[in-house]
């Protein structure tokens, strides 16, 4: 059976993380568990999260980044398929916008006669760690995570008036194989020189 494509791995892992979180998150009062499609640099992250505050408390899952390592590390014949281990990181962002205080955004509020419980960032972080740490994800019989998700770091990524957000980073890897190009090499017969002056 052929390995999934890069897109199928990344999308499948994100979908699996959301599926693992959704029911339990909604049970504690999280409004949405979705993919995060914005940039992960500090300025864009701040703008994007603050712009979605009306949907909080919310958990957002995103592929962060990764790197390819030749595995096995052996010389290959020209054009032969290369095998890679794609070591990658996924981020689960938890965010709260309770305007009453920073403490409530972090710790939440218990259920009362007048209002349901509101989860704070710490409760959402606990849920994410419990549901994702050690999780393996597959699509049918095909493994998408070749090792269980490992928690690597937690960062306080946003503290602006009325919004608090943390990012929990998880690592795993999957395998990719390049196409076999032994019969489709590029034959350079013409040389084009473009001179700008």
């Amino acid at each position: 059976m052929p390995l999934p494509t890069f897109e199928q791995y990344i999308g499948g892992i994100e979908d699996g993380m959301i599926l693992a979180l959704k029911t339990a998150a909604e049970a504690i009062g999280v409004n949405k568990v979705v993919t995060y499609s914005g940039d992960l640099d500090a300025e864009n992250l701040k703008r994007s999260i603050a712009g979605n505050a009306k949907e909080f408390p919310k958990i957002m899952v995103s592929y962060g980044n990764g790197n390819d390592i030749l595995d096995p590390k052996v010389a290959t014949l020209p054009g032969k398929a290369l095998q890679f281990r794609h070591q990658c990181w996924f981020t689960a962002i938890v965010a709260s916008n309770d305007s009453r205080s920073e403490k409530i955004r972090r710790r939440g509020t218990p259920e009362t006669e007048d209002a349901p419980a509101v989860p704070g960032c710490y409760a959402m972080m606990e849920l994410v760690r419990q549901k994702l740490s050690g999780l393996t994800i597959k699509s049918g019989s095909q493994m998408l995570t070749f090792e269980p998700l490992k928690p690597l770091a937690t960062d306080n990524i946003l503290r602006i008036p009325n919004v608090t957000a943390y990012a929990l980073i998880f690592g795993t890897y999957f395998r990719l194989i390049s196409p076999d190009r032994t019969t489709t090499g590029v034959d350079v017969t013409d040389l084009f020189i473009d001179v700008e002056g």
Side-chain angles (χ1 to χ4, degrees), residues 169-188:
I169 301 165
F170 293 84
T172 189
Y173 79 93
F174 54 83
R175 295 201 173 278
L176 294 169
I177 299 176
S178 72
D180 185 314
R181 301 184 190 281
T182 52
T183 61
T184 60
V186 176
D187 186 14
V188 179

Side-chain angles (χ1 to χ4, degrees), residues 10 17-18 20 23 46 61 82 91 109 128 131 144 151 159 163 189:
I10 297 299
M17 292 171 72
I18 290 169
T23 301
K46 185 183 290 187
V61 172
L82 302 173
T91 302
T109 60
V128 167
K131 294 295 180 180
L144 298 179
R159 219 181 243 162
V163 177
T189 56

Side-chain angles (χ1 to χ4, degrees), residues 6-7 9-11 13-15 17 34-40 60-68 86-93 169-170 172-174 176:
F6 182 81
E7 178 185 5
Y9 274 121
I10 297 299
I13 294 170
E14 284 181 344
D15 291 347
M17 292 171 72
V34 296
T35 55
Y36 171 75
S37 57
D39 290 324
L40 290 170
M60 297 162 279
V61 172
S62 178
Y63 170 73
N65 56 29
N67 63 306
D68 293 326
H86 185 74
Q87 191 73 43
C88 52
W89 298 270
F90 288 82
T91 302
I93 299 168
I169 301 165
F170 293 84
T172 189
Y173 79 93
F174 54 83
L176 294 169

Side-chain angles (χ1 to χ4, degrees), residues 136-158:
T136 55
I137 299 172
K138 63 181 184 169
S139 176
S141 62
Q142 178 63 58
M143 291 304 295
L144 298 179
T145 54
F146 283 52
E147 70 180 0
L149 292 172
K150 295 181 297 194
L152 301 176
T154 302
D155 292 324
N156 183 326
I157 57 171
L158 185 62

Side-chain angles (χ1 to χ4, degrees), residues 4-145:
T5 64
F6 182 81
E7 178 185 5
Q8 290 168 333
Y9 274 121
I10 297 299
I13 294 170
E14 284 181 344
D15 291 347
M17 292 171 72
I18 290 169
L19 188 60
L21 294 168
K22 193 168 181 56
T23 301
E26 289 171 352
I28 66 167
V30 173
N31 287 334
K32 289 188 174 186
V33 181
V34 296
T35 55
Y36 171 75
S37 57
D39 290 324
L40 290 170
D41 66 274
E43 209 45 51
N44 283 315
L45 190 60
K46 185 183 290 187
R47 213 174 10 258
S48 179
I49 290 177
N52 285 296
K54 65 183 181 295
E55 300 175 344
F56 294 169
K58 186 175 184 179
I59 300 174
M60 297 162 279
V61 172
S62 178
Y63 170 73
N65 56 29
N67 63 306
D68 293 326
I69 302 162
L70 195 59
D71 185 16
K73 296 178 181 179
V74 294
T76 57
L77 296 172
K80 279 289 192 188
L82 302 173
Q83 295 183 44
F84 295 97
R85 171 186 169 119
H86 185 74
Q87 191 73 43
C88 52
W89 298 270
F90 288 82
T91 302
I93 299 168
V94 302
S96 172
N97 70 329
D98 199 300
S99 60
R100 290 173 287 181
S101 73
E102 170 67 18
K103 182 177 180 180
I104 290 174
R105 288 192 297 276
R106 287 183 284 114
R107 296 189 181 179
T109 60
E111 182 177 1
T112 66
E113 289 181 15
D114 302 325
V118 176
C121 286
Y122 293 169
M124 290 187 281
M125 290 162 64
E126 175 66 20
L127 183 134
V128 167
R129 292 178 64 83
Q130 287 294 322
K131 294 295 180 180
L132 298 183
S133 297
L135 182 71
T136 55
I137 299 172
K138 63 181 184 169
S139 176
S141 62
Q142 178 63 58
M143 291 304 295
L144 298 179
T145 54

